[in-house]
Amino acid sequence: MKDLVISVKRQKAELRWLAGCFCLAFLLNILSVVIYKTSWSEIFSQLLWVFIIFLILYAVVCALRIAYYFIRRLF
């Protein structure tokens, strides 16, 4: 069985995408605390929802990147 080798460049790119999606989800959480004028403790108590939103954002970004890859290969 062949080993799958992922380059360091690809790993760093994926980590940047992951970090960007997590930061966006976390900023959305902070924005919701400010807009709805709730307690600042909700920033940490709602981390499960931040994580779920982060996973959804990352899935959407991956789907868009895959679609872009296939469209670019067609043309």
Side-chain angles (χ1 to χ4, degrees):
M1 184 178 214
K2 283 186 154 184
D3 290 336
L4 178 64
V5 178
I6 301 173
S7 69
V8 174
K9 183 180 176 183
R10 172 59 47 201
Q11 290 176 12
K12 287 181 180 179
E14 289 303 316
L15 283 175
R16 282 192 293 268
W17 281 108
L18 281 168
C21 289
F22 183 78
C23 287
L24 181 61
F26 198 75
L27 287 174
L28 286 173
N29 188 23
I30 292 173
L31 184 66
S32 68
V33 167
V34 170
I35 288 174
Y36 294 110
K37 298 179 178 82
T38 60
S39 172
W40 283 98
S41 65
E42 286 194 23
I43 290 177
F44 299 108
S45 65
Q46 299 297 321
L47 278 180
L48 178 63
W49 288 107
V50 169
F51 187 71
I52 291 170
I53 292 170
F54 150 69
L55 289 177
I56 292 170
L57 281 173
Y58 186 68
V60 168
V61 166
C62 285
L64 290 174
R65 289 170 58 203
I66 290 170
Y68 174 75
Y69 172 77
F70 284 119
I71 289 172
R72 196 178 77 198
R73 296 250 351 226
L74 287 175
F75 299 110

